[in-house]
Each structure stands twice: as structure tokens, then as C-alpha cells.
Amino acid sequence: MKKFAKIFLCIFLLVLVVACTPAAETEEVEEVQETEEVVEEEEEAEEEEEVVVEQQEVLIGALAPQTGGSAFIGTELIKGIEIAAEIVNEAGGVWKNDEGVGTKITLVKGDASDNQAAISEAQRLIQQEHVVAIIDGHLSGNALVVSKVCEENDTIYIATVSIMDPITQQGYQNLYRVTVLASTFGKDAVQFVQEEVAPALGIAVEDMKVAVIHEDSGYGSSVGAAAKQAVEDSPMQLVHYASFKSDTNDLTGLIMKLKEVEPDAIVATQYAHDGLLFWEQAESLGLEIPAMVGTGAIHSMYDWIEGTGGKGNYVFSYELGNIDPTKLSEKGEALSIDFRTRYQEKYDTEPSSMSIIGFQGAYTFYTEMLDPAGSADNAAIHEAAAKVDIPEGDTIYGFGIKFDPDTHQNVLSQGCIHQWLDGKFVIVWPRKWADAEPVIPLPSWEEMQP
């Protein structure tokens, strides 16, 4: 009996060993398979990381005065140019592929503090930085020399703010100007005086006395000459015409002459230093001004209100419109709100007219010229520019954009008359864009106390 028990135990143990062996091997196989799967997943992840290509970039020059007396203008313009690039880049950039990934716009800045600096910086941006185009944010005099550098180097030049008429009369093919002509600034300012100021003052048009004054740079001279001609072509009387250096330290002689001729309206083109000096001395010398109509620059900047200590209210200025977004088309409204929101978040204030000008000029180039071109090829960009036809209301400053085939001037450009009311720059003319009725005449100096 014991013998059978031993035999049975041996058979049982043998079966148990045989039965257990495949299971152990299976576990080992499963462990090996799991390890191989982890390794394969890691290798695949590494391969995926390796195929991620860094987004390409296209270099665009942003040339504006960042030092010197006009830095306040250049700084604002560049803020707008930067926000335009930010919006485009967040949407994938330009020249997007099927996955929506495109080429990033990278801005390379240059400081155009004067004409010589503008030339040197333009050459550096083109020849050393290899930018595809230069977007301006500087004075008209600088634009004349920079446009020449760009033409000689076959580089696209976008004029966003430079308004001198001769800029687009040079026959340059690489130059495109989005903004309004200087002659339009002068003519429209005078038209406003005739249509709105004279009736509000109760003066017959033929009895209306107008003085035209301007600083003597290319900008001031262009606007001033156009305003002078517009008055002479109208029934109104031109009682004084004068120019002066923008860095002058005394405008007493001019103000005393104005007191003598007693203009009903002054059309003025001034930068910061001379504009603020004129206002200070006009008050101290007791010059009464029924209507003061500026034509951009200092009269369109918040620096005007700050620099006058709050006593610059009720002054008018012709400028590209700071249009209420709700008055624009659906497309224009969405773009305007996006820009204004971003600007407010970045700088904790409302955008200036200069930042609006810089933004729309740059955004037009990025989205209507550079992107449709499909590449940085100049010929392709020119072809795209010829097709630009943005209707009124689709831009944040209201007017449309369409380039003249010969001069590349925007033939749809038009500005608005704004007035400083309670420290805000409010559109009052033309009526289709107006947010308020113009206040005429100017209050006395005593009434203008902040």
C-alpha cells in the first residue's frame, strides 16, 4: 500500500511541475512583450518629437523715430505695427499649410530719429537684417530718403503715416502709401472751416477770415501750402500765412501778427514743441481764437491735452478717423475691437490715432499683400497689391484701401475732423462718422481752465 502511495505522489508532483512550467513561461513572455511595447511607444514619441519643425519666420522692418523730438509719434506707430503682427501670428502666420501652420512675422526695429539715421537704419535693415519689407512710422522727410533706399534695393516700402504729396510722385514701384495725402489734410481742414465753422460763428463765407500757419518741414510745408491754396480758391479771406522752425523758442512775433489781423479760424500744422509753445504764448499774450483747426501731429495726440495741462480742449484736428467700431462693417468692427482690446490690455489706455494708423497700415500689408503673395517674392507681392480693394467700413479708420496702379497711393483714403472734448478725441466731421456735434466757438482762456 505504501508503495502505491509513493508512486501516486511522484506522478502528482510530475504533473504539477509540467502544469506550472507553461504558465511561468507565459508570464515571462508577457513581461517581455510589455517591455517591448513600452520601448516602441518611447521610440515613436521620440520620432514624433524629431519631426516637429520650428516655425519659419519672415523678417519685416519697422522704421520709426524712437529717440529725439518725434519719438512720441514713432513709439505709438510701432505699437500698432506690433499688435498687427501679433494678431496674424496667433492665427498661424502667413503662407499657412493645410495644417494651418504658417510663417511667423518677426519685426526688426530701426530708429529713424533724423534723415541720416533713417537712411543708415534702412540700409542696415535691408542689407544686414535681410528684411522683406519696411513699414514706416516716421516723418515725411524721412520717407523721401527711405523710399529711395528701398527702391535702390528692390525692397517693398509701406508708408503708413508719411503724408507729403511728393512721396508718391517719385515714380517708385516698391512704394505703397495707405494714408491720406498732405494736400487732402489741408483741403479738408479748410472745407470744414467753410462748411461748419463759418455758419456756427454766424459769419458769411465771404467775410470769414482764415490764417494758415505751419512748421517748415516737408510735412508742415505740404499741408500748409495746400491749406493756403484751398482758402484762396474759396470765397473766404486769407488774412495771414506764415511758417516757422519747429524747434523755435519764441513765437511772439507770429502771435502779435495774428492779434492784429484777428482771424476767425486758424488752420495750423505743428509738432509737439512748437504746438505747445504756440498755445502757451497765445494765452499769455491774449490771442482770442474762435476756432483752431490742427492737421495731425501734436493736435491729434494725447500729449496735447497733457502738455496744455487740460487747456487744449475744444481744439480741432484733421486725422485718420478714430471711428466708433459700431459704425463700421461687421468685419471692421471685429478688427477694431480686437485691436483696441489688445492695446488697452498692454498699455492701460485707449489707443492713439498714431497707433491706429500704424496698425491698419501694417495689418493691410500682412493680410492683403504679403500673405496672398504666397512668398517673399517681390513680383508676387506687387501682384497681390494690385488686387487690394478693401471697401469703406472694413478698416478700423473707416476709409477703404485701393492703390493707384501708377503711383501706388491709396485712392480711397480720407480723414476726419476730431475735437478734444473733456480730454477725449471725438469725431465731429464728416457727419457719417461723427460721434458729437462740434463745439464752436472756442471758450475764452478763462473758461478753458481745467
Side-chain angles (χ1 to χ4, degrees):
M1 188 69 178
K2 292 180 180 179
K3 181 178 181 181
F4 284 112
K6 290 180 180 178
I7 293 173
F8 178 78
L9 178 61
C10 289
I11 293 172
F12 174 76
L13 292 174
L14 180 62
V15 171
L16 181 63
V17 170
V18 173
C20 291
T21 300
E25 290 178 352
T26 301
E27 290 177 1
E28 291 178 2
V29 171
E30 288 177 351
E31 289 178 1
V32 170
Q33 289 177 338
E34 288 176 0
T35 301
E36 289 177 348
E37 288 175 359
V38 170
V39 172
E40 288 177 1
E41 288 176 359
E42 290 177 350
E43 290 177 348
E44 289 175 0
E46 289 176 359
E47 289 177 1
E48 288 178 0
E49 289 178 1
E50 290 176 358
V51 299
V52 173
V53 181
E54 184 177 349
Q55 187 178 22
Q56 298 297 306
E57 64 178 7
V58 56
L59 302 181
I60 306 296
L63 186 57
Q66 298 170 61
T67 58
S70 298
F72 70 100
I73 293 177
T75 301
E76 282 299 302
L77 286 157
I78 284 186
K79 287 177 182 178
I81 294 169
E82 289 176 328
I83 292 176
E86 177 184 294
I87 291 175
V88 173
N89 287 337
E90 286 184 7
V94 295
W95 315 327
K96 288 182 283 191
N97 58 25
D98 293 339
E99 285 72 42
V101 178
T103 299
K104 175 185 176 182
I105 295 170
T106 298
L107 295 177
V108 185
K109 299 178 186 177
D111 184 4
S113 56
D114 56 38
N115 279 3
Q116 189 53 55
I119 293 172
S120 299
E121 287 289 78
Q123 291 172 335
R124 176 184 67 83
L125 290 173
I126 296 170
Q127 298 168 6
Q128 296 179 30
E129 302 292 347
H130 306 294
V131 299
V132 169
I134 289 179
I135 302 174
D136 88 346
H138 48 74
L139 313 182
S140 290
N142 291 352
L144 283 172
V145 296
V146 173
S147 59
K148 184 174 186 294
V149 172
C150 288
E151 192 70 12
E152 292 172 345
N153 288 271
D154 198 25
T155 301
I156 299 293
Y157 177 56
I158 306 298
T160 66
V161 68
S162 306
I163 66 174
M164 282 177 57
D165 288 34
I167 292 171
T168 47
Q169 295 172 353
Q170 303 173 95
Y172 292 163
Q173 292 305 300
N174 287 300
L175 167 66
Y176 291 88
R177 176 158 54 190
V178 182
T179 193
V180 183
L181 291 168
S183 56
T184 304
F185 270 66
K187 291 174 184 175
D188 284 3
V190 171
Q191 183 181 349
F192 171 72
V193 170
Q194 182 173 335
E195 291 184 3
E196 298 285 346
V197 177
L201 292 175
I203 300 174
V205 173
E206 60 271 17
D207 295 327
M208 188 72 181
K209 296 185 293 183
V210 182
V212 176
I213 63 174
H214 64 85
E215 57 80 31
D216 67 355
S217 74
Y219 156 65
S221 298
S222 294
V223 178
K228 175 178 179 288
Q229 188 63 54
V231 176
E232 291 175 338
D233 291 342
S234 78
M236 299 184 294
Q237 303 173 31
L238 180 68
V239 295
H240 192 57
Y241 176 72
S243 64
F244 45 83
K245 298 289 183 183
S246 62
D247 60 355
T248 183
N249 290 316
D250 187 14
L251 290 168
T252 300
L254 170 61
I255 293 169
M256 295 307 292
K257 181 62 178 180
L258 291 171
K259 287 189 69 174
E260 177 186 331
V261 299
E262 298 182 328
D264 300 306
I266 296 175
V267 176
T269 307
Q270 299 171 318
Y271 282 120
H273 172 75
D274 52 300
L276 294 172
L277 175 65
F278 175 84
W279 205 243
E280 177 186 343
Q281 293 189 322
E283 179 184 9
S284 65
L285 294 171
L287 174 63
E288 295 299 329
I289 310 171
M292 177 78 170
V293 184
T295 51
I298 184 58
H299 297 117
S300 297
M301 302 290 292
Y302 283 99
D303 301 63
W304 171 253
I305 292 297
E306 294 176 3
T308 59
K311 298 174 71 173
N313 277 309
Y314 307 107
V315 168
F316 297 101
S317 186
Y318 184 85
E319 189 56 84
L320 275 65
N322 192 351
I323 308 291
D324 177 354
T326 63
K327 295 180 183 293
L328 301 171
S329 68
E330 184 177 344
K331 180 178 180 180
E333 180 180 7
L335 182 63
S336 182
I337 291 174
D338 191 5
F339 166 70
R340 291 169 186 277
T341 301
R342 291 170 186 265
Y343 188 98
Q344 183 76 42
E345 290 175 350
K346 285 177 178 288
Y347 305 110
D348 195 29
T349 187
E350 294 180 2
S352 68
S353 292
M354 293 298 150
S355 62
I356 290 172
I357 292 169
F359 171 81
Q360 186 64 66
Y363 188 78
T364 298
F365 172 65
Y366 301 152
T367 61
E368 301 290 333
M369 298 170 65
L370 183 62
D371 188 39
S375 72
D377 179 64
N378 253 26
I381 296 175
H382 286 307
E383 185 177 346
K387 298 176 182 177
V388 173
D389 192 1
I390 304 174
E392 181 179 272
D394 276 9
T395 68
I396 67 173
Y397 41 39
F399 62 75
I401 300 175
K402 185 177 180 65
F403 297 111
D404 181 275
D406 297 321
T407 66
H408 295 171
Q409 168 64 38
N410 177 17
V411 298
L412 302 179
S413 60
Q414 181 186 25
C416 300
I417 292 288
H418 301 66
Q419 187 175 30
W420 289 101
L421 298 173
D422 295 326
K424 296 186 179 297
F425 200 48
V426 181
I427 297 175
V428 294
W429 184 87
R431 294 304 177 102
K432 65 181 177 181
W433 301 122
D435 297 314
E437 290 287 325
V439 177
I440 304 170
L442 273 168
S444 67
W445 292 108
E446 292 74 17
E447 293 172 325
M448 282 195 288
Q449 293 292 336

